[in-house]
Amino acid sequence: MAPVISKIGIIGAGVSGLVAAKQLAHHNPLVFEASDSIGGVWKHCSYSSTKLQSLRCDYEFSDFPWPDRDSTSFPSYTEILEYLTSYANHFDVLKFVRFNSKVVEIRFVGNREATDLTGKPGDYPTILPGHPVWEVAVQTNHSDTIEWYAFEFLVVCIGKYGDVPKIPEFPRNKGPEIFQGKVLHTIDYCKLQKEETSQLLKGKKVVVIGFKKSAIDLALECAEENQGPEGQPCTMVVRTLHWTVPHYWIWGLPFYMFYSTRSSQFLHEKPNQSFLRTLLCLLLSPMRRGASKFIESYLLWKLPLQKYGLKPDHPFEEDYASCQMAIMPENFFSEADKGKILFKRASNWWFSKEGIEFDDNTKLEADVVVLATGYDGKKKLKAILPEPFRTLLEYPSGIMPLYRGTIHPLVPNMAFVGYLESVSNLHTSELRSIWLGRLVDEKFKLPSVEKMIEQTNKEMAVSKRTTRFYKRHCISTFSINHSDEICEEMGWNSWRKKNWISEAFSPYGSQDYN
């Protein structure tokens, strides 16, 4: 059976898929969503207590503000899903979405001779060449039937989170199979109803592996289910510590002053800067370190990090530069003070019959172990991408090299939206989707493959010098510069404010790019 031929295909209907569909709507794209609803991780990887970690005005589309955007509360995941649904309805993008349509395979059917996979100097292929380049196999409604579609251009929006859990490896006979209790990953926990989570946690000795946002929220839910004398404490097993913040004020100053304005980002290294700018950055490095120390001093005063042995060894700036800063729930440490949340620092651990054992010869009894160990986004992508492109994903240093956070120079006629991180991933995805829409419409041309690889290498080099966690591919310390270069490439003015004072000292957000 011949494949259904269309111009543009989009895989995924989360935040990135929706905004990509909106920007490419005039090409009538086909959007394949594996589940029965939009929302991505907000729909499928949220707990009952999950909230956005920023204010509404920092997480909104440039042309579709929140109805109550000035509210000081953090919206719940259900409010975010309502906002995304309103956006999709307002711009009529749901008509492009095919729900319960899981992409199980992608084939390259383009001209291999015209495609340079070696990274040598050459031009990126024509975006819409007039003939299919990719064929996509789609499984519908969990049936055994596979339907094939053919596209000139493919946009991958399945993201780095959700779907494929990252499971730790264990020595032989020391894995979850020997544990008598229950083991699950946070992705399994997210699928449970409120009554089921209560039954799982209440009166049980629960161990949560991890100390990022999902682990912190889960430990708090566990503590709240175990109030009273019959309640059991929840123990968090912590390997790598990260800085957490109670809110977005530091010693009475708004947090954006430190990282989200042009003047604050001027202190940080950025790609393509001149020798004079590099020298200036070196001279200003004490100010940069001072800002990080200033923030750390407040966090150590406000939160009992030292009391519980939770003070990270690395500077705050490294967590911010790798998009790993988490908002600490208001009553988290009050539960720790009551003994409902305990902490265990450990580099290595494994399962035993009764619970968990550690490399310091201590043991921890458990009824339930929850792995808040994250997701394997690369494995998810590799599962559908064919060779030789699969092996190119991590070229050259463990990070997928994406020009403008969107185009892999060595993967023809394919874009990736939602793989670059910043303080607001929604804004990052939207601006890059706008850029992609103009690229598809031939409003500008891409540089050579060599130039694009050179640019991605420069960005990776800056990240490596800024944080040890550089593989997360986060641009938060030079996000304004990244957006500037995108604007200039599209023919827009990169300075988006009304006057130079606002340009220097006001935070940049999605509304500046409307």
Side-chain angles (χ1 to χ4, degrees):
M1 187 176 176
V4 178
I5 298 175
S6 186
K7 270 189 177 183
I8 296 175
I10 299 173
I11 307 175
V15 171
S16 300
L18 291 176
V19 73
K22 188 249 180 182
Q23 295 300 330
L24 296 167
H26 52 294
H27 292 287
N28 293 309
L30 287 181
V31 182
F32 301 110
E33 169 53 45
S35 73
D36 60 359
S37 59
I38 63 171
V41 293
W42 287 114
K43 177 67 176 178
H44 305 293
C45 298
S46 296
Y47 311 152
S48 59
S49 62
T50 299
K51 291 185 176 183
L52 186 66
Q53 292 205 83
S54 56
L55 298 174
R56 289 165 172 79
C57 59
D58 294 327
Y59 193 87
E60 66 180 356
F61 298 103
S62 62
D63 51 4
F64 193 75
W66 282 82
D68 50 349
R69 70 185 306 268
D70 295 325
S71 171
T72 56
S73 64
F74 295 159
S76 67
Y77 80 95
T78 53
E79 290 176 290
I80 295 165
L81 288 173
E82 289 170 4
Y83 174 64
L84 295 177
T85 301
S86 297
Y87 173 84
N89 288 328
H90 181 78
F91 292 107
D92 198 22
V93 297
L94 292 180
K95 65 184 178 184
F96 304 122
V97 183
R98 301 196 174 190
F99 293 105
N100 297 306
S101 299
K102 183 180 180 180
V103 172
V104 294
E105 185 183 350
I106 299 174
R107 290 180 188 166
F108 179 69
V109 293
N111 185 350
R112 289 187 179 274
E113 293 181 3
T115 305
D116 187 355
L117 300 178
T118 63
K120 294 176 182 177
D123 292 329
Y124 189 83
T126 304
I127 298 295
L128 294 178
H131 57 81
V133 176
W134 298 100
E135 286 185 352
V136 175
V138 178
Q139 183 182 38
T140 307
N141 292 319
H142 309 288
S143 68
D144 295 329
T145 306
I146 300 295
E147 296 179 7
W148 284 90
Y149 297 81
F151 299 101
E152 296 178 41
F153 193 80
L154 202 56
V155 187
V156 179
C157 302
I158 58 177
K160 298 191 287 187
Y161 304 107
D163 299 320
V164 181
K166 187 179 289 183
I167 305 297
E169 295 183 358
F170 301 98
R172 184 178 173 83
N173 296 323
K174 292 185 177 181
E177 69 280 357
I178 68 166
F179 177 50
Q180 290 182 332
K182 186 174 180 62
V183 181
L184 66 161
H185 190 273
T186 49
I187 194 172
D188 305 308
Y189 182 83
C190 292
K191 297 173 184 175
L192 301 176
Q193 298 299 316
K194 178 66 177 173
E195 297 77 17
E196 294 174 307
T197 60
S198 179
Q199 188 178 2
L200 177 74
L201 303 175
K202 195 166 188 175
K204 306 288 178 54
K205 297 173 183 174
V206 179
V207 175
V208 177
I209 309 295
F211 192 66
K212 290 188 181 177
K213 184 60 177 171
S214 61
I216 291 169
D217 286 347
L218 198 151
L220 183 57
E221 287 195 10
C222 182
E224 290 172 345
E225 285 290 347
N226 281 279
Q227 297 298 306
E230 301 298 321
Q232 294 285 344
C234 171
T235 303
M236 300 187 75
V237 176
V238 184
R239 184 176 65 175
T240 304
L241 289 168
H242 293 285
W243 290 96
T244 55
V245 298
H247 44 64
Y248 288 110
W249 290 88
I250 303 295
W251 294 120
L253 299 173
F255 188 84
Y256 72 76
M257 286 182 56
F258 299 94
Y259 292 106
S260 300
T261 65
R262 278 196 188 277
S263 54
S264 59
Q265 291 197 4
F266 186 78
L267 301 175
H268 296 268
E269 185 183 359
K270 63 181 183 180
N272 301 314
Q273 63 185 20
S274 64
F275 173 75
L276 186 61
R277 178 79 171 73
T278 303
L279 186 62
L280 196 57
C281 241
L282 190 63
L283 294 173
L284 293 174
S285 60
M287 288 182 64
R288 190 171 65 245
R289 288 194 296 270
S292 185
K293 288 287 185 185
F294 184 75
I295 294 170
E296 290 166 32
S297 70
Y298 178 75
L299 300 181
L300 293 172
W301 173 76
K302 185 71 175 176
L303 302 174
L305 302 180
Q306 289 175 315
K307 174 182 176 181
Y308 291 108
L310 299 176
K311 178 183 178 295
D313 295 327
H314 56 269
F316 174 84
E317 182 187 326
E318 290 199 39
D319 275 342
Y320 187 84
S322 55
C323 297
Q324 294 191 100
M325 181 190 77
I327 291 285
M328 184 62 74
E330 188 175 350
N331 55 335
F332 180 84
F333 281 114
S334 63
E335 293 298 330
D337 290 339
K338 291 191 292 186
K340 295 300 182 183
I341 300 176
L342 307 176
F343 306 97
K344 170 66 180 178
R345 293 293 308 279
S347 298
N348 294 298
W349 62 276
W350 52 88
F351 284 97
S352 67
K353 197 174 179 181
E354 297 80 18
I356 287 178
E357 296 182 0
F358 302 96
D359 53 5
D360 61 358
N361 296 320
T362 58
K363 297 180 180 181
L364 187 61
E365 288 187 7
D367 300 311
V368 179
V369 176
V370 186
L371 304 174
T373 49
Y375 298 93
D376 196 335
K378 289 175 185 173
K379 186 176 180 181
K380 178 165 60 168
L381 200 52
K382 287 178 177 179
I384 59 171
L385 208 62
E387 292 290 4
F389 307 104
R390 188 183 302 156
T391 57
L392 296 172
L393 288 181
E394 297 180 8
Y395 170 94
S397 62
I399 306 176
M400 186 159 60
L402 295 177
Y403 179 73
R404 303 302 184 219
T406 310
I407 296 291
H408 193 307
L410 305 181
V411 181
N413 300 82
M414 184 178 284
F416 301 84
V417 181
Y419 287 85
L420 188 69
E421 293 192 57
S422 72
V423 177
S424 174
N425 290 335
L426 182 148
H427 166 58
T428 303
S429 293
E430 183 187 35
L431 185 57
R432 278 133 200 89
S433 293
I434 294 170
W435 176 89
L436 179 62
R438 294 177 72 85
L439 173 66
V440 170
D441 292 342
E442 298 183 333
K443 298 289 178 67
F444 63 92
K445 283 194 170 184
L446 291 172
S448 67
V449 168
E450 184 180 40
K451 289 285 186 185
M452 287 194 287
I453 291 176
E454 182 183 336
Q455 173 66 20
T456 61
N457 285 343
K458 287 178 181 177
E459 291 175 11
M460 289 178 201
V462 170
S463 294
K464 277 185 175 182
R465 288 191 290 268
T466 306
T467 175
R468 69 196 70 188
F469 309 112
Y470 66 90
K471 288 190 177 182
R472 289 179 61 86
H473 206 178
C474 172
I475 58 167
S476 60
T477 57
F478 58 92
S479 58
I480 297 175
N481 175 75
H482 206 274
S483 298
D484 286 350
E485 293 181 346
I486 281 180
C487 288
E488 289 163 6
E489 201 160 43
M490 292 192 295
W492 290 11
N493 182 5
S494 60
W495 284 40
R496 313 293 298 173
K497 303 287 189 181
K498 294 180 179 179
N499 55 66
W500 71 267
I501 296 177
S502 297
E503 194 65 58
F505 302 110
S506 293
Y508 256 86
S510 60
Q511 294 299 314
D512 295 304
Y513 298 91
N514 187 356

